């Protein structure tokens, strides 16, 4: 089992920045693919960004490209999401997730952290 704990959410004004962290523990593996997702009230959960542990490949949703950056520190088993130029539409609960390969689904999820962007 893998346990994921997010932190770093909060209230920020539009145009501001936040950095989310996701600490992994348990049967972690540096080759796992780590992702960030978000869910706004009344909306479906959506993909935000991912990073592949084995080669550092990153992927982003179009809506956050150029504003958000995903990174990882394998020594600390932690993944980060740096969010800049935040907009009110970025308001959501942000979840960290992990999957073993690109052929498997995200099997492990954190409890989520709230990000609220005021306009």
């Amino acid at each position: 089992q893998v346990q994921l704990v997010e932190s770093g959410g909060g209230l920020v004004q539009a145009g501001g920045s936040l950095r989310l962290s996701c600490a992994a523990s348990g049967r972690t593996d540096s080759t796992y693919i780590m992702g960030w997702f978000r869910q706004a009230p009344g909306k479906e959960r959506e993909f935000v960004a991912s990073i592949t542990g084995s080669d550092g490949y990153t992927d982003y949703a179009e809506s956050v490209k150029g504003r958000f950056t995903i990174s990882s520190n394998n020594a600390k088993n932690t993944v980060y999401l740096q969010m800049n130029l935040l907009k009110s539409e970025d308001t959501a609960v942000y979840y960290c997730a992990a999957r073993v390969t690109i052929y498997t689904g995200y099997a492990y999820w954190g409890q989520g952290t709230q990000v609220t962007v005021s306009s």
Side-chain angles (χ1 to χ4, degrees):
Q1 286 289 338
V2 175
Q3 293 78 44
L4 303 173
V5 179
E6 303 97 334
S7 61
L11 174 64
V12 63
Q13 289 188 331
S17 299
L18 278 176
R19 189 177 81 155
L20 305 183
S21 299
C22 172
S25 61
R27 295 183 62 182
T28 59
D29 189 312
S30 62
T31 65
Y32 284 1
I33 299 165
M34 302 298 296
W36 285 98
F37 293 76
R38 66 186 182 186
Q39 187 167 20
K43 293 188 176 181
E44 297 281 321
R45 184 170 60 194
E46 64 175 359
F47 168 79
V48 175
S50 66
I51 185 166
T52 301
S54 58
D55 60 9
Y57 174 80
T58 58
D59 190 22
Y60 296 92
E62 284 296 326
S63 59
V64 306
K65 277 184 181 178
R67 300 188 299 121
F68 291 11
T69 302
I70 189 170
S71 62
S72 64
N73 184 327
N74 290 339
K76 294 185 177 181
N77 288 330
T78 302
V79 176
Y80 305 97
L81 185 68
Q82 177 66 45
M83 306 185 294
N84 299 327
L85 299 174
L86 283 161
K87 306 175 182 180
S88 57
E89 51 263 45
D90 294 318
T91 295
V93 177
Y94 284 70
Y95 297 91
C96 175
R99 61 176 175 173
V100 178
T101 74
I102 61 172
Y103 305 108
T104 60
Y106 284 91
Y108 307 105
W109 293 84
Q111 82 289 349
T113 185
Q114 176 70 47
V115 171
T116 303
V117 184
S118 63
S119 57

